[in-house]
Amino acid sequence: MSFSTVIKDEVTRIDASREELISELSAIVRNSAIIDKNITIYVENNGVARRIFKLFKNVYEITPIITVRKKYFSNGLSYILTIKHHVNEILDDLSIVKNGKYLNIPHDYIYSDEDLVRAYLRGLFLVTASVNDPKTSKYHLEFLVDDNEYAEFISNLLNENGLNSKIIKREKKYMVYVKEAEKISDFLRIIKAYNGVMYFEDIRIYRDHKNMTNRLNNCEQANMDKIFLTASSQIRDIKKLYEYDIDDLVDDKIKVVMEYRLKYPEASLGELSEIISNETGNKITKSGLNHRFRKIKEIINNIENKE
């Protein structure tokens, strides 16, 4: 079962006031119905079909006719709900049609307060939306609608709740989408899919922690690589001093550094300075070590340049 289906199954069990149910039903009919002398709604989710059946029965005391069909080229079923009675009154009440004229955007009584907006977005989600499982590589919530003006309306509803949605044209339809993980979690909270929120947040936090761990590991590995390359370069320079037979010409402080670098080839400068300070009783800092290694490098460069 997909994550979208799990969320839809959860929100189909939500109780609400009659006004909220009208707002929810308005979004459902606006986006999934064919309207002529009847209202005919096509859905592919059994839970959503039962929800729509219940909404019409509870709000308008009408029992839709349900037809179940097997989908071509798959084992799934599609559900067709037909309303044949009081069609004009229902469409007027849902702000789908007014005075015989189709309304692209519903009147504001459908979304006039926070609870009605939640209900409208819940109905919209049931029939137009999909949301990626947070376990997948990308966070993505989308609504596919049929009109640019309506897409702007939906995007505004989402963005009034701080969801940072955007719109893109997709073939003959328009996709309103949200990409940020925290915003998708906020949307699930808005439509009261609280179990979905907890699951989403658990996975998101785990993924964020894992990504942070990977970044720290990569950073640590990069530091280790840097330490290894620096130490290798220092050891090469020291060995060249021996090859050129001039190791006796350097001062005693540099000789100590040469001795301990060869003895501890994998130590960082910080570790090496601590080892030398502890074992010799003469404190030396990282910058002091760096200065002595630069002196060795200068001696080698001068000899090689003369050659």
Side-chain angles (χ1 to χ4, degrees):
M1 184 182 294
S2 71
F3 184 60
S4 294
T5 301
V6 170
I7 299 300
K8 289 179 182 182
D9 284 349
E10 180 180 356
V11 300
T12 56
R13 296 189 291 271
I14 292 173
D15 291 326
S17 67
R18 186 177 188 277
E19 290 76 15
E20 291 172 50
L21 297 181
I22 288 173
S23 293
E24 182 179 335
L25 198 53
S26 175
I28 289 169
V29 172
R30 162 65 178 78
N31 290 282
S32 66
I34 294 175
I35 299 169
D36 42 37
K37 63 180 181 179
N38 302 322
I39 300 172
T40 307
I41 299 171
Y42 295 82
V43 294
E44 296 185 351
N45 181 296
N46 178 269
V48 174
R50 284 188 280 108
R51 175 72 170 185
I52 297 170
F53 181 91
K54 183 179 178 181
L55 292 179
F56 276 106
K57 194 168 184 179
N58 290 352
V59 176
Y60 297 112
E61 298 180 352
I62 288 175
T63 303
I65 300 168
I66 297 183
T67 305
V68 181
R69 291 180 180 171
K70 188 177 183 303
K71 290 191 288 187
Y72 293 111
F73 309 115
S74 76
N75 295 323
L77 300 173
S78 60
Y79 304 87
I80 305 168
L81 294 90
T82 306
I83 293 87
K84 294 187 174 184
H85 304 290
H86 306 292
V87 170
N88 292 331
E89 293 91 330
I90 291 171
L91 293 175
D92 182 87
D93 196 42
L94 296 178
S95 195
I96 305 294
V97 174
K98 204 75 171 178
N99 300 322
K101 182 180 178 181
Y102 174 76
L103 300 175
N104 197 25
I105 308 298
H107 287 304
D108 58 6
Y109 70 82
I110 293 293
Y111 55 94
S112 58
D113 64 37
E114 183 179 336
D115 288 333
L116 297 182
V117 170
R118 287 172 179 261
Y120 193 87
L121 291 175
R122 186 164 59 243
L124 183 77
F125 179 80
L126 288 175
V127 294
T128 72
S130 65
V131 56
N132 283 7
D133 192 314
K135 288 181 179 178
T136 62
S137 59
K138 293 182 180 179
Y139 297 112
H140 184 78
L141 164 68
E142 69 174 52
F143 306 84
L144 204 59
V145 298
D146 60 5
D147 177 84
N148 185 49
E149 182 188 16
Y150 186 69
E152 293 282 357
F153 166 70
I154 296 303
S155 184
N156 288 336
L157 288 185
L158 295 170
N159 293 343
E160 284 170 5
N161 285 277
L163 299 187
N164 195 27
S165 68
K166 294 180 173 56
I167 300 171
I168 188 171
K169 194 173 189 308
R170 179 184 282 181
E171 296 179 353
K172 295 182 179 180
K173 295 201 172 187
Y174 293 83
M175 183 176 73
V176 184
Y177 66 93
V178 178
K179 287 285 189 185
E180 299 167 60
E182 290 184 11
K183 305 300 185 184
I184 295 173
S185 182
D186 288 342
F187 173 79
L188 298 179
R189 194 174 289 109
I190 287 169
I191 64 172
K192 300 183 178 181
Y194 297 125
N195 290 334
V197 171
M198 288 189 289
Y199 171 83
F200 192 94
E201 283 298 298
D202 284 345
I203 300 300
R204 184 177 73 84
I205 291 169
Y206 168 77
R207 282 186 62 188
D208 288 349
H209 176 73
K210 184 178 179 181
N211 290 338
M212 177 62 73
T213 301
N214 288 338
R215 284 195 292 271
L216 290 174
N217 287 339
N218 291 338
C219 183
E220 184 178 351
Q221 183 61 49
N223 287 336
M224 292 299 294
D225 291 344
K226 184 178 179 181
I227 290 169
F228 174 78
L229 291 173
T230 301
S232 297
S233 175
Q234 293 164 352
I235 290 169
R236 281 197 303 272
D237 289 341
I238 292 168
K239 288 182 176 179
K240 284 182 180 180
L241 285 180
Y242 287 109
E243 288 175 13
Y244 294 137
D245 197 22
I246 56 173
D247 52 290
D248 287 335
L249 301 180
V250 298
D251 63 43
D252 291 340
K253 291 181 179 179
I254 292 179
K255 286 180 180 179
V256 170
V257 169
M258 292 166 56
E259 176 190 347
Y260 275 90
R261 170 47 81 198
L262 294 176
K263 187 176 179 181
Y264 298 98
E266 296 179 358
S268 66
L269 282 180
E271 292 167 341
L272 195 60
S273 68
E274 188 174 344
I275 291 169
I276 294 173
S277 298
N278 290 337
E279 293 190 6
T280 65
N282 297 317
K283 184 172 178 58
I284 184 168
T285 63
K286 282 175 59 177
S287 62
L289 275 179
N290 241 331
H291 174 72
R292 294 178 193 181
F293 282 123
R294 281 200 301 270
K295 292 291 289 183
I296 294 172
K297 173 71 74 177
E298 288 174 8
I299 293 170
I300 298 300
N301 287 340
N302 288 335
I303 292 172
E304 291 180 343
N305 288 336
K306 287 179 180 178
E307 290 181 349

